[in-house]
Amino acid sequence: MQKTDENQNDKFYKEVVEGLGSPQKYLQPKYFYDKTGDVLFQQIMAMPEYYLTRCELDIFKNKTAGLAKAITAPGGAFDLIELGAGDATKSSYLLEYLVEQQTDFTYMPIDISGNILTVLDENLKAKMPQLDIVCLEGEYFDMLGKAAALSPRRKVVMFLGANIGNMELEEAHNFCHDLYRNLNPGDLLFIGFDLKKHPDTILQAYNDKAGITSKFNLNLLTRINRELGGDFNLEDFEHYQMYDPQTGACKSFLVSLREQEVSIGDKTVHFKKDETVFMEISQKFSEAEIALIAEETGFKALQTFTDDKGWFMDAVWEV
Ligand code: AVI
């Protein structure tokens, strides 16, 4: 355990130094989620401006029968795999429906955090004692391999919450293609995309009045200070958000408010006044772009589900 922690810390340090040593400085958003980051993200999901969670929840709450039909239509028992399951707030509506219908399936949530999976396992078993659940702790593709080894049943993989949008387009493309290669003919991918909409609606979701998204971004500097011996002064950085309706890229940055030097362990990083650190992309898609990703990565696009406002889309693709 100790060794893993050390390795993870070394990796964190290496990736931070690499990002801040690049001509366009960047930090990786996967590091947002320490204990404070998790709490801030919960607060983001509850913000009036952050529509994404509510929209996808609307689909899972109000179109449950349709979702279940799409998943069960090919027939026979199956494994329902959820990548990055978290607390399964949305998927539990679908799980309850499938259990009620006495569907023959096993729910296999995959998460990097064993802690989250333990809580999820307890909660779901308390709510649905009949649910067959196998938790898989680890990296997505390692655990997909494990799921395939555990059972030969057909697989339905869910990747919800617009997480695909946090990848650069090429990375998202490669990720979908890797999923395709790791699945078998007849398997399904159930994937969530945030749709292009009025640019102000999108910008406000990431530039909230209460400044929670700003805190979420700045918290990564606090994490670097604590875990890597950094001396960032948070007052010297400011959150900046932009959305480009043409490309659909919504990007967050931190801006250095003055020329300064920051130490991280034995490394020193120089910031010019107004220099930016790229933090995260939250890509928005058109329906045509979503269909094209399916086609280019090998999938057959079967069906789509949108919320009442038409702001969010869950797509069902077949291998
Ligand atoms: C996790 N992910 C889908 C969120 C998003 O909308 O891109 C992360 C986030 N970053 C700032 N606000 C929300």
Side-chain angles (χ1 to χ4, degrees), residues 33 41 44 50 52 161-163 166 206 213 216 280 282:
Y33 303 91
F41 187 57
I44 285 176
Y50 194 76
L52 286 82
N163 287 312
N166 296 132
Y206 296 87
T213 312
F216 181 62
E280 183 181 47
S282 299

Side-chain angles (χ1 to χ4, degrees), residues 258-277:
R258 61 180 184 89
E259 174 150 17
Q260 54 184 313
E261 308 237 295
V262 173
S263 302
I264 302 167
D266 53 9
K267 284 268 184 311
T268 303
V269 183
H270 181 87
F271 291 86
K272 291 190 215 114
K273 182 176 179 319
D274 297 335
E275 187 173 359
T276 57
V277 183

